Amino acid sequence: MEDVAERAGVSRALVSIVFRNQPGASQETRERVLRVAGEIGYRLDSAARLLARGRSRTIGVLIAAHQPFHADLIEGIYPEAERLGYDVLLSATARGRGEDKAVEALLAHRCEAVILFGSDAEPVDLDALGRRTVAVSVGRRVPHARVDSVHTAEGKGVRLAMDHLVELGHRDIVHIDGGKGPGSAERRRAYRAAMRRHSLQPEARIIPGDHTERSGIEAGRLLLAERDEGRALPTAVLAGNDRCAMGLMMSFARGGLDIPRDVSIVGYDDSHLSHLMPLGLTTVRQDALLLAEYAVRFAVERLEDEQLEPREAVVDPKLVVRGTTGKPRG
């Protein structure tokens, strides 16, 4: 500001008045100060100004580096945060960088609140985090912890997928489990419940896995090896998420199977990758924009009123039918 004041021929105090848009400077002076600031490339340090007032007005967001659905969520985080007057800072988990380190980085940068995408931390640790700062969990319920949660109605999503497969005529439906991934336990329970509801419990089978392409590839290899040993392939597979479904499709394609003629496949998330493939993936759509809006709103509301009790928002899913499901073979 001293540089601007010197070149504009005014006092530093007057420059400060102009930058703060306060009364006390003529229109001509304002225009001259702003023109000089533009000429020398001066930019307001908003972060420093906010910190001087004891606020950063920044929301930290924890993401997983390789989860496409998290990118979809981020697209909803930015506009809602901007609408409410907040900036966003991202911190990613990756190989060699765990959730603890990623969260601590956000807090070290003075984020006023943190939004956690698909956290796999223990509930006691999330409760401790929620007592340190404002925290919102997206994609996972955390009962009895001092964090707000926003997630899809997982059971309903699985029911939609299973009803769709059964209506097509499928009975031998396998589920690839999502392991400790967000929503996996609810999806697993809903799969078992759907198989019982359709009187298909004897055919129920859950293959251990996780929310990665590798999990789908390995499950596909297992099913193909069993076929080669004389065991019939299932007619349909409900994957733990879209990434797992895509890995399964790759494995089956290498094994010479035709989808959906030989096996129908359903994913979960409706991430942006699910409809970019040559054969569009039938999947359960999570409303990423609405989940993101709820998360930002919960964080800002708790910043304004720390006495709020933990809240939960449940968003309805939708089944999106594309090219990977059809009637069972034969």
Side-chain angles (χ1 to χ4, degrees):
M1 284 197 295
E2 289 175 357
D3 292 339
V4 173
E6 182 178 350
R7 289 192 57 169
V10 298
S11 68
R12 186 181 185 281
L14 197 55
V15 171
S16 178
I17 286 173
V18 172
F19 286 162
R20 287 184 288 115
N21 198 27
Q22 297 293 315
S26 69
Q27 185 61 32
E28 180 185 353
T29 299
R30 289 181 186 277
E31 292 174 357
R32 184 166 74 255
V33 167
L34 294 175
R35 184 179 66 253
V36 168
E39 289 172 355
I40 69 174
Y42 176 86
R43 291 177 181 170
L44 289 171
D45 189 342
S46 299
R49 292 173 65 197
L50 287 168
L51 288 175
R53 301 174 190 170
R55 295 288 304 273
S56 70
R57 294 194 74 84
T58 300
I59 297 173
V61 182
L62 172 75
I63 64 173
H66 301 294
Q67 277 292 358
F69 187 62
H70 289 187
D72 297 340
L73 287 165
I74 285 296
E75 287 190 4
I77 290 287
Y78 277 110
E80 185 66 7
E82 183 176 343
R83 185 182 73 82
L84 296 172
Y86 283 78
D87 201 355
V88 175
L89 182 66
L90 305 180
S91 184
T93 59
R95 185 175 299 177
R97 190 173 196 258
E99 188 171 320
D100 287 349
K101 184 177 291 186
V103 170
E104 287 303 323
L106 294 173
L107 297 179
H109 282 84
R110 298 178 182 264
C111 291
E112 295 186 15
V114 291
I115 295 175
L116 313 171
F117 289 170
S119 169
D120 60 4
E122 294 296 326
V124 64
D125 295 326
L126 289 176
D127 181 62
L129 176 64
R131 296 180 185 281
R132 288 176 62 194
T133 188
V134 171
V136 182
S137 170
V138 178
R140 175 188 174 190
R141 292 184 66 245
V142 193
H144 314 302
R146 189 168 176 74
V147 298
D148 294 319
S149 62
V150 181
H151 61 92
T152 298
E154 305 287 359
K156 183 175 181 179
V158 171
R159 285 196 301 274
L160 291 171
M162 294 294 289
D163 288 350
H164 168 65
L165 292 171
V166 171
E167 287 169 5
L168 288 172
H170 294 278
R171 295 183 59 83
D172 190 357
I173 306 169
V174 167
H175 176 47
I176 303 176
D177 187 25
K180 294 182 179 180
S184 296
E186 291 86 353
R187 296 172 200 177
R188 186 165 55 244
R189 286 193 294 268
Y191 164 77
R192 290 195 178 107
M195 293 295 278
R196 287 195 301 269
R197 182 163 51 88
H198 290 292
S199 301
L200 300 176
Q201 194 167 3
E203 286 82 13
R205 181 186 180 189
I206 297 177
I207 298 176
D210 56 38
H211 286 172
T212 65
E213 292 86 357
R214 172 58 58 186
S215 172
I217 291 170
E218 291 176 353
R221 288 173 177 168
L222 171 65
L223 292 171
L224 289 169
E226 291 177 350
R227 178 201 60 176
D228 294 341
E229 294 171 358
R231 180 172 178 173
L233 281 168
T235 64
V237 179
L238 172 64
N241 72 342
D242 289 350
R243 290 181 65 192
C244 177
M246 291 174 191
L248 181 67
M249 291 172 66
M250 291 170 57
S251 193
F252 280 169
R254 291 168 183 165
L257 298 184
D258 181 271
I259 300 167
R261 185 188 65 195
D262 295 320
V263 183
S264 287
I265 298 175
V266 180
Y268 204 107
D269 282 344
D270 195 29
S271 61
H272 63 276
L273 297 180
S274 64
H275 48 85
L276 297 179
M277 303 170 62
L279 184 63
L281 177 66
T282 295
T283 184
V284 177
R285 180 175 185 266
Q286 299 197 74
D287 192 332
L289 295 182
L290 188 55
L291 290 168
E293 288 174 8
Y294 269 120
V296 174
R297 208 173 307 154
F298 276 4
V300 172
E301 288 172 358
R302 186 170 293 282
L303 285 170
E304 295 173 353
D305 183 0
E306 295 183 2
Q307 301 307 312
L308 286 173
E309 290 298 315
R311 295 158 299 165
E312 179 179 2
V314 183
V315 176
D316 276 340
K318 178 183 178 182
L319 181 68
V320 181
V321 179
R322 298 193 180 99
T324 59
T325 52
K327 293 185 179 299
R329 60 185 182 272

Coordinates of all heavy atoms in Angstrom, one line a residue, residues 237-275:
V237 N -24.0 -59.0 -11.5 CA -23.1 -58.6 -10.4 C -23.5 -57.2 -10.0 O -23.5 -56.3 -10.8 CB -21.6 -58.7 -10.8 CG1 -20.7 -58.3 -9.6 CG2 -21.3 -60.1 -11.2
L238 N -23.6 -57.0 -8.7 CA -23.8 -55.7 -8.1 C -22.4 -55.3 -7.5 O -22.0 -55.9 -6.5 CB -24.9 -55.6 -7.0 CG -25.0 -54.3 -6.2 CD1 -25.4 -53.2 -7.1 CD2 -26.0 -54.5 -5.0
A239 N -21.7 -54.3 -8.1 CA -20.4 -54.0 -7.7 C -20.5 -53.0 -6.5 O -21.5 -52.3 -6.4 CB -19.6 -53.4 -8.8
G240 N -19.4 -52.9 -5.7 CA -19.4 -52.0 -4.6 C -19.5 -50.5 -5.0 O -20.1 -49.7 -4.2
N241 N -18.9 -50.1 -6.1 CA -19.0 -48.8 -6.6 C -18.7 -48.8 -8.1 O -18.4 -49.9 -8.7 CB -18.2 -47.8 -5.9 CG -16.7 -48.0 -6.1 OD1 -16.2 -49.0 -6.6 ND2 -15.9 -47.0 -5.8
D242 N -18.7 -47.7 -8.8 CA -18.4 -47.6 -10.2 C -17.0 -48.1 -10.6 O -16.8 -48.7 -11.6 CB -18.6 -46.2 -10.7 CG -20.1 -45.8 -10.8 OD1 -21.0 -46.7 -10.6 OD2 -20.4 -44.6 -11.0
R243 N -16.0 -47.7 -9.8 CA -14.6 -48.1 -10.1 C -14.5 -49.6 -10.0 O -13.9 -50.2 -10.9 CB -13.7 -47.5 -9.0 CG -13.5 -46.0 -9.1 CD -12.5 -45.5 -8.1 NE -11.2 -45.9 -8.3 CZ -10.2 -45.8 -7.5 NH1 -10.4 -45.3 -6.3 NH2 -9.0 -46.3 -7.7
C244 N -15.1 -50.2 -9.1 CA -15.1 -51.7 -9.0 C -15.8 -52.3 -10.2 O -15.3 -53.2 -10.8 CB -15.7 -52.1 -7.7 SG -15.9 -53.9 -7.5
A245 N -16.9 -51.7 -10.6 CA -17.7 -52.2 -11.7 C -16.8 -52.1 -13.0 O -16.8 -53.0 -13.9 CB -19.0 -51.4 -11.9
M246 N -16.1 -51.0 -13.2 CA -15.3 -50.9 -14.3 C -14.1 -51.9 -14.4 O -13.8 -52.4 -15.5 CB -14.7 -49.4 -14.4 CG -15.8 -48.4 -14.6 SD -15.2 -46.7 -14.5 CE -16.7 -45.8 -14.5
G247 N -13.5 -52.1 -13.2 CA -12.5 -53.2 -13.2 C -13.1 -54.5 -13.5 O -12.4 -55.3 -14.3
L248 N -14.3 -54.8 -13.1 CA -14.9 -56.1 -13.4 C -15.2 -56.2 -14.9 O -15.0 -57.3 -15.5 CB -16.2 -56.2 -12.6 CG -17.1 -57.5 -12.8 CD1 -16.3 -58.7 -12.2 CD2 -18.4 -57.3 -12.2
M249 N -15.6 -55.1 -15.5 CA -15.9 -55.1 -17.0 C -14.6 -55.4 -17.7 O -14.6 -56.1 -18.7 CB -16.5 -53.8 -17.4 CG -17.9 -53.6 -16.9 SD -18.6 -51.9 -17.1 CE -18.7 -51.9 -18.9
M250 N -13.5 -54.8 -17.3 CA -12.2 -55.0 -18.0 C -11.8 -56.5 -17.9 O -11.4 -57.1 -18.9 CB -11.1 -54.2 -17.3 CG -11.3 -52.7 -17.5 SD -10.1 -51.7 -16.5 CE -8.6 -52.4 -17.0
S251 N -12.0 -57.1 -16.7 CA -11.6 -58.5 -16.5 C -12.5 -59.4 -17.3 O -12.0 -60.3 -18.0 CB -11.8 -58.8 -15.0 OG -11.2 -60.0 -14.7
F252 N -13.8 -59.1 -17.4 CA -14.7 -60.0 -18.2 C -14.4 -59.8 -19.7 O -14.5 -60.8 -20.4 CB -16.2 -59.6 -17.9 CG -16.7 -60.2 -16.6 CD1 -17.9 -59.8 -16.1 CD2 -16.0 -61.2 -15.9 CE1 -18.4 -60.4 -14.9 CE2 -16.4 -61.8 -14.7 CZ -17.7 -61.4 -14.2
A253 N -14.1 -58.6 -20.1 CA -13.8 -58.4 -21.5 C -12.6 -59.2 -21.9 O -12.6 -59.8 -23.0 CB -13.6 -56.9 -21.8
R254 N -11.6 -59.2 -21.1 CA -10.4 -60.0 -21.4 C -10.7 -61.5 -21.4 O -10.0 -62.2 -22.1 CB -9.3 -59.7 -20.3 CG -8.7 -58.2 -20.4 CD -7.9 -57.9 -19.2 NE -7.4 -56.5 -19.3 CZ -6.9 -55.9 -18.2 NH1 -6.8 -56.5 -17.0 NH2 -6.5 -54.6 -18.4
G255 N -11.7 -61.9 -20.6 CA -12.1 -63.3 -20.6 C -13.0 -63.7 -21.7 O -13.5 -64.8 -21.7
G256 N -13.3 -62.7 -22.6 CA -14.2 -63.0 -23.7 C -15.7 -63.0 -23.5 O -16.4 -63.5 -24.3
L257 N -16.1 -62.4 -22.4 CA -17.5 -62.3 -22.1 C -18.1 -61.1 -22.7 O -17.5 -60.1 -22.9 CB -17.7 -62.3 -20.6 CG -17.3 -63.4 -19.7 CD1 -17.7 -63.2 -18.3 CD2 -17.8 -64.8 -20.3
D258 N -19.4 -61.2 -23.1 CA -20.1 -60.1 -23.6 C -21.1 -59.6 -22.5 O -21.8 -60.3 -21.9 CB -21.0 -60.6 -24.8 CG -21.8 -59.5 -25.4 OD1 -22.9 -59.2 -25.0 OD2 -21.3 -58.8 -26.3
I259 N -21.0 -58.3 -22.3 CA -21.9 -57.6 -21.3 C -22.9 -56.8 -22.1 O -22.5 -56.0 -23.0 CB -21.0 -56.7 -20.4 CG1 -20.0 -57.6 -19.7 CG2 -21.9 -56.0 -19.4 CD1 -18.9 -56.8 -19.0
P260 N -24.2 -57.0 -21.8 CA -24.8 -57.8 -20.7 C -25.2 -59.1 -21.1 O -25.9 -59.8 -20.3 CB -26.0 -56.9 -20.3 CG -26.4 -56.3 -21.6 CD -25.2 -56.1 -22.5
R261 N -24.9 -59.6 -22.3 CA -25.5 -60.9 -22.8 C -25.1 -62.0 -21.8 O -25.9 -62.9 -21.4 CB -25.0 -61.2 -24.2 CG -25.6 -62.5 -24.8 CD -25.0 -62.9 -26.1 NE -23.6 -63.2 -25.8 CZ -22.7 -63.3 -26.8 NH1 -23.0 -63.0 -28.1 NH2 -21.4 -63.7 -26.5
D262 N -23.8 -62.1 -21.4 CA -23.3 -63.1 -20.5 C -23.5 -62.8 -19.1 O -23.9 -63.6 -18.3 CB -21.8 -63.4 -20.8 CG -21.6 -64.0 -22.2 OD1 -22.4 -64.8 -22.6 OD2 -20.6 -63.6 -22.8
V263 N -23.2 -61.5 -18.7 CA -23.3 -61.1 -17.3 C -23.8 -59.6 -17.3 O -23.2 -58.8 -18.0 CB -22.0 -61.2 -16.5 CG1 -22.2 -60.8 -15.0 CG2 -21.5 -62.6 -16.6
S264 N -24.8 -59.3 -16.5 CA -25.2 -57.9 -16.3 C -24.4 -57.4 -15.1 O -24.1 -58.1 -14.1 CB -26.7 -57.8 -16.0 OG -27.4 -58.1 -17.1
I265 N -24.1 -56.1 -15.2 CA -23.3 -55.4 -14.1 C -23.9 -54.1 -13.7 O -24.3 -53.3 -14.6 CB -21.8 -55.1 -14.6 CG1 -21.1 -56.5 -14.9 CG2 -21.0 -54.3 -13.6 CD1 -19.7 -56.3 -15.5
V266 N -24.0 -53.9 -12.4 CA -24.5 -52.6 -11.9 C -23.5 -52.0 -11.0 O -22.9 -52.7 -10.1 CB -25.8 -52.8 -11.1 CG1 -26.3 -51.5 -10.5 CG2 -26.9 -53.5 -11.9
G267 N -23.2 -50.7 -11.1 CA -22.3 -50.0 -10.2 C -23.0 -49.2 -9.2 O -24.2 -49.3 -8.9
Y268 N -22.3 -48.3 -8.6 CA -22.8 -47.4 -7.5 C -22.1 -46.1 -7.5 O -20.8 -46.1 -7.4 CB -22.8 -48.1 -6.2 CG -23.8 -47.6 -5.2 CD1 -24.9 -48.3 -4.8 CD2 -23.7 -46.3 -4.6 CE1 -25.9 -47.9 -3.9 CE2 -24.7 -45.8 -3.7 CZ -25.8 -46.6 -3.4 OH -26.7 -46.2 -2.5
D269 N -22.7 -45.0 -7.6 CA -22.2 -43.6 -7.5 C -22.7 -42.8 -8.7 O -23.0 -41.6 -8.5 CB -20.6 -43.5 -7.5 CG -20.0 -43.9 -6.2 OD1 -20.8 -43.9 -5.2 OD2 -18.8 -44.1 -6.2
D270 N -22.6 -43.3 -9.9 CA -22.8 -42.6 -11.1 C -21.8 -41.5 -11.2 O -22.2 -40.3 -11.5 CB -24.3 -42.0 -11.2 CG -24.6 -41.5 -12.7 OD1 -24.0 -42.1 -13.6 OD2 -25.4 -40.6 -12.8
S271 N -20.6 -41.8 -11.0 CA -19.5 -40.9 -11.2 C -19.4 -40.5 -12.7 O -19.9 -41.2 -13.5 CB -18.1 -41.5 -10.7 OG -17.8 -42.6 -11.5
H272 N -18.7 -39.4 -13.0 CA -18.6 -38.9 -14.3 C -18.0 -39.9 -15.3 O -18.2 -39.8 -16.5 CB -17.8 -37.6 -14.4 CG -16.4 -37.7 -14.0 ND1 -16.0 -37.6 -12.7 CD2 -15.3 -37.8 -14.7 CE1 -14.7 -37.8 -12.6 NE2 -14.2 -37.9 -13.8
L273 N -17.2 -40.9 -14.8 CA -16.6 -41.9 -15.7 C -17.6 -42.9 -16.1 O -17.4 -43.6 -17.2 CB -15.5 -42.6 -14.9 CG -14.3 -41.7 -14.5 CD1 -13.2 -42.6 -13.8 CD2 -13.6 -41.0 -15.8
S274 N -18.7 -43.1 -15.4 CA -19.6 -44.2 -15.7 C -20.3 -44.0 -17.0 O -20.8 -45.0 -17.6 CB -20.7 -44.3 -14.6 OG -21.5 -43.1 -14.5
H275 N -20.4 -42.8 -17.6 CA -21.1 -42.7 -18.9 C -20.1 -42.2 -20.0 O -20.6 -41.8 -21.0 CB -22.3 -41.7 -18.7 CG -21.9 -40.4 -18.1 ND1 -21.4 -39.3 -18.7 CD2 -22.1 -40.0 -16.8 CE1 -21.2 -38.4 -17.8 NE2 -21.6 -38.8 -16.6

